[in-house]
Amino acid sequence: MRSRPSPTCRSATLSRPDGRIPDALILPGTKSTIADLRRMKEAGFAGHVTRCLERGATVVGICGGFQMLGTLIRDPQQVESPAGAEEGLGLLSSVTVFEEEKITAQVSGVHLASGVEVSGYEIHMGRSQAAAAAPLLRITERGGKRVSDFDGAQAADGRVWGTYLHGVFDTPGFRRYFVDGLRAARGWPALRTQTPVDADAELDRLAAHVRASLDVDRIHRIIRKQA
């Protein structure tokens, strides 16, 4: 058994990686994909992501994080960044190109590996193609219309994956599948139970954590000065 902390998904709150290897590392969405990717590289997080994968962690990218996991991000029309292109982390074979039209839609689909139905929303400028990687989801409805296409990509036996679907972890069945996969990597048995979640209570708990971790009054003052 690996000598790591209990299964958890850690957010990168440090200015530089501290060397700890989590069971899961999640790259979240961003409104400045290229700039944030460059900052990650400068701070040493790009190499840290690769080390985490090499030492058994699962690496996940949501929206902008998914784009970062690919081989290349192109922004030829400078929709998001004055930079024309940036090499990705290379953990997925996807190439992302930014376009002027933003995709915003409620989405439903099926997680291909587990057969679990998922739902959430898309909001992104980039379009990603991953010819050599298996898709993650089959999309069955987008913006209230029935469709049949695919989303996301996965590689490394499912230990690296990305999706444009915000809210994918809100589905209890998918969340249990994901956590049980982390348990299996440690040699622990699956729980297979789905714990109901009080969304309002969870949001209140998250808000309390944010207030305790940040100087909210100072943030409000900065916002008022910018208004």
Side-chain angles (χ1 to χ4, degrees):
M1 183 181 299
R2 296 186 294 276
S3 56
R4 297 184 300 178
S6 298
T8 185
C9 303
R10 296 184 182 274
S11 61
T13 56
L14 302 175
S15 59
R16 293 188 177 275
D18 63 2
R20 290 180 295 178
I21 306 298
D23 293 271
L25 191 154
I26 300 177
L27 305 183
T30 171
K31 292 183 178 180
S32 52
T33 307
I34 290 179
D36 287 348
L37 177 57
R38 287 182 171 179
R39 171 58 183 151
M40 282 180 59
K41 292 176 179 178
E42 292 169 359
F45 278 102
H48 180 63
V49 172
T50 301
R51 287 191 297 274
C52 286
L53 178 63
E54 291 172 346
R55 294 178 59 180
T58 294
V59 178
V60 175
I62 306 296
C63 198
F66 167 37
Q67 296 167 350
M68 292 180 185
L69 291 177
T71 59
L72 179 66
I73 301 172
R74 296 181 56 239
D75 192 356
Q77 302 181 69
Q78 298 185 346
V79 172
E80 186 192 79
S81 168
E86 181 71 18
E87 289 188 3
L89 300 179
L91 300 184
L92 292 173
S93 63
S94 57
V95 173
T96 296
V97 179
F98 279 88
E99 299 183 7
E100 291 184 332
E101 182 182 358
K102 178 180 287 187
I103 295 175
T104 58
Q106 293 289 329
V107 177
S108 298
V110 177
H111 179 239
L112 293 170
S114 66
V116 172
E117 293 185 358
V118 296
S119 62
Y121 66 93
E122 295 182 33
I123 178 168
H124 55 95
M125 309 291 285
R127 276 65 162 173
S128 300
Q129 297 292 328
L136 185 77
L137 308 175
R138 178 168 57 85
I139 303 302
T140 56
E141 184 175 310
R142 177 179 284 111
K145 297 180 180 180
R146 301 295 295 179
V147 297
S148 180
D149 55 24
F150 296 98
D151 169 82
Q154 55 185 329
D157 297 325
R159 288 197 303 111
V160 181
W161 59 265
T163 177
Y164 276 114
L165 191 63
H166 292 272
V168 66
F169 287 109
D170 292 347
T171 304
F174 178 79
R175 191 167 57 247
R176 172 47 55 205
Y177 174 86
F178 178 74
V179 173
D180 278 345
L182 302 183
R183 292 177 62 86
R186 281 178 168 265
W188 296 353
L191 294 178
R192 301 188 184 281
T193 57
Q194 298 178 19
T195 304
V197 174
D198 184 336
D200 288 339
E202 288 298 304
L203 289 173
D204 287 342
R205 188 166 67 88
L206 175 61
H209 180 73
V210 170
R211 283 194 297 269
S213 304
L214 299 176
D215 187 342
V216 177
D217 290 338
R218 183 180 180 188
I219 293 173
H220 286 166
R221 290 195 297 271
I222 293 172
I223 292 173
R224 285 194 293 270
K225 287 181 180 179
Q226 297 296 326

